[in-house]
Amino acid sequence: MLAAVPAGGRVALVDPRFVGHLHALRLGLTDPRFDVAALPGALTAQPGARAALVRALDRTVAAVGAGSPVGPPPADPDAEDRTVPGRLAVALETGGTPVQRPELGSLTAAVPTGPQARAAAREAVAAVDDEAVRLRNAVKAHDGFVTTFLVSPYSRYIARWCARRGLTPNQVTTASLITALVAAGSAATGTRGGYVAAGVLLLLSFVLDCTDGQLARYSLQYSTMGAWLDATFDRAKEYAYYAGLALGAARGGDDVWVLALGAMVLQACRHIVDFSFNEANHDAVSNTSPTAALSDRLDSVGWTVWLRRMIVLPIGERWAMIAVLTAVTSPRVVFYALLVGCSLAACYTTAGRLLRSLTRKARRTDRAAQALSDLADSGPLARAAAAVVPRPGGGFTAPLLALTGAAAIIAAALLLPYGSPLTVAAAALYAVLSGAAVARPLKGALDWLVPPVFRAAEYCTVLVLAARSDVPHALPAAFGLVSAVAYHHYDTVYRIRGGTGAPPRWLVRTIGGHEGRTVVVAVCAAVLTHASDFTTALTALAVAVALVVLVESIRFWVSSSAPAVHDEGELA
């Protein structure tokens, strides 16, 4: 029977005596993220695991025929699944193929062997409404206060409505993006009516943003591209809305592009702190600390959990604040609130991560060091410097070198006369020091700070030079450049988190790496002295980076053979 199924098809084996909830079977047999999954009396295998399933079947037949066990004795003999699917699952695991066993919770999945057991299983099925369980499980387990209490209670029903009409999570994600872009356009009108409409549409976009993930969990429609679209579109929506607010303010005679770009830089740096810290500690050995123990104790008290989630200003709270302030105040007030709120949140989260890193006794793995190296986004200049300039010994030399270089270029851009050749020299020093920082594997306790420092150095240099240039439209062009580069950095994060590795080296070389782009911007500021030349250079650089990065990113995600994922995402 297995041989008769086309090689590209997924197969499922279910014991005919199976009694259980329909949603238990969905969880066990239709989740696309796992090659092999099993629950009592049922087993499924995707095309990539079909050969392993056939081998397991041969071994199982031989073992049963010889009267020998299929695998090692179970820890609980009473819980052993002695059905054909259960034996095959054990044989697969014994042969080295991982088998996913979903948590069923209150759902029932059993193979009763007698009338009494069958009656008991049917009573258990009747006692639990699996549709209610399915709806409840569609909501993310850990989320912010606004999302949990003000959106999810009704957005889950929107997700079910979408599922029953055949809509996919990617379609809902796209609808959320379009709604946010319309909101940005409304804000760009610069009128009070436009601001009110923008606030309402932004909230609607966030509801749809919650709905797409709930739809994916409700209908088990997980995909690599879906996780990428969800995460990428969140950034595109927020940054487009910032640009819309800046355009609307400009119509009213208020130039807030510096604030808009500052808010985008701050939010991007917050995210890279989260990503870098998590990657550094993803698989660290002996990953414990007193700070983490204190955090766990605080999580045992209900109100502190919600207070701590709100302090970090997650996306629900942030978008709600932006929407309300847009409707009732001005873009300048919105950006002031964003900068203050996100700065406090960044200080809180970064301080906690620093304490954890300094107090825990952990050994970084080669995988973590490679992830940090990829997140660093070092280009040809930094790599050439790394080959020539050795990094001094010591556990904190990498972040210290990165901080020194970043301080040098930001201070030069901020304090030296605009267009000074010394700014170019500072950029060259930054390239050398950033290369020295990554000359050895990033396995130190604070080496996860290196990528965030590089992000802050590049983004802030572009922001400061554009702000000080006093050239028309330089800040909007800088906003476009940082947006394009930030997209590349987020794309790198999502590739690593999806298990597909960093973007190809040719891509990083082509767009110069963080230090190469910083040097180019510094040179442009020093050389291009005519009124519009600096703006033209920033715009050309933004377009070039965006084209190269977008084409490669879309090619990769459309053709990727990465396993299907559903990214629960960061609170921020």
Side-chain angles (χ1 to χ4, degrees), residues 495-529:
R495 292 196 196 204
I496 294 173
R497 293 175 68 174
T500 57
R505 289 302 312 163
W506 70 260
L507 176 65
V508 178
R509 289 195 299 269
T510 300
I511 60 177
H514 67 93
E515 81 292 345
R517 292 186 297 270
T518 303
V519 170
V520 168
V521 172
V523 170
C524 289
V527 174
L528 303 176
T529 56

Side-chain angles (χ1 to χ4, degrees), residues 108-408:
T108 296
V111 180
T113 56
Q116 289 184 335
R118 178 173 294 275
R122 287 176 173 170
E123 288 179 5
V125 171
V128 175
D129 182 354
D130 70 336
E131 179 60 20
V133 173
R134 188 182 183 190
L135 268 176
R136 185 167 62 250
N137 292 342
V139 178
K140 189 186 297 185
H142 302 287
D143 225 325
F145 182 88
V146 168
T147 305
T148 300
F149 294 104
L150 301 182
V151 177
S152 292
Y154 59 87
S155 61
R156 69 184 74 182
Y157 295 100
I158 301 176
R160 182 171 68 179
W161 183 89
C162 293
R164 291 178 175 177
R165 282 152 184 81
L167 297 177
T168 67
N170 289 354
Q171 290 171 332
V172 177
T173 302
T174 303
S176 175
L177 173 66
I178 293 172
T179 305
L181 293 179
V182 174
S186 299
T189 63
T191 63
R192 178 51 53 195
Y195 289 148
V196 172
V200 173
L201 288 169
L202 187 64
L203 290 176
L204 176 58
S205 174
F206 181 66
V207 172
L208 293 174
D209 183 55
C210 295
T211 300
D212 63 2
Q214 291 166 357
L215 175 58
R217 285 182 286 271
Y218 180 85
S219 57
L220 300 178
Q221 296 184 75
Y222 304 130
S223 67
T224 302
M225 177 175 284
W228 169 68
L229 287 177
D230 186 35
T232 304
F233 282 6
D234 279 351
R235 306 286 79 77
K237 289 181 285 189
E238 191 164 5
Y239 298 160
Y241 194 81
Y242 292 173
L245 285 175
L247 289 170
R251 286 178 176 270
D254 188 13
D255 187 353
V256 296
W257 276 105
V258 169
L259 300 178
L261 183 50
M264 183 171 70
V265 168
L266 179 55
Q267 189 58 33
C269 290
R270 280 186 66 198
H271 276 131
I272 192 59
V273 167
D274 292 342
F275 297 144
S276 187
F277 177 81
N278 290 336
E279 287 301 325
N281 296 282
H282 176 73
D283 50 4
V285 181
S286 302
N287 199 1
T288 59
S289 74
T291 308
L294 174 61
S295 178
D296 292 339
R297 286 198 297 271
L298 288 174
D299 282 344
S300 65
V301 183
W303 67 270
T304 64
V305 175
W306 296 114
L307 178 62
R308 294 169 68 211
R309 291 185 187 178
M310 293 174 70
I311 287 175
V312 301
L313 205 64
I315 189 169
E317 278 75 355
R318 191 167 68 251
W319 282 27
M321 180 184 74
I322 293 171
V324 172
L325 291 179
T326 299
V328 301
T329 63
S330 66
R332 181 172 289 273
V333 173
V334 173
F335 287 124
Y336 281 151
L338 268 174
L339 289 169
V340 171
C342 290
S343 295
L344 293 174
C347 290
Y348 170 76
T349 54
T350 305
R353 287 172 167 80
L354 285 171
L355 286 173
R356 291 190 183 204
S357 299
L358 291 172
T359 57
R360 69 175 21 137
K361 304 296 182 183
R363 295 191 302 275
R364 312 294 179 201
T365 63
D366 291 337
R367 177 204 170 279
Q370 183 60 50
L372 292 180
S373 177
D374 293 334
L375 289 173
D377 191 36
S378 299
L381 294 179
R383 291 189 175 274
V388 176
V389 182
R391 191 175 88 196
F396 303 114
T397 55
L400 284 176
L401 287 169
L403 282 169
T404 302

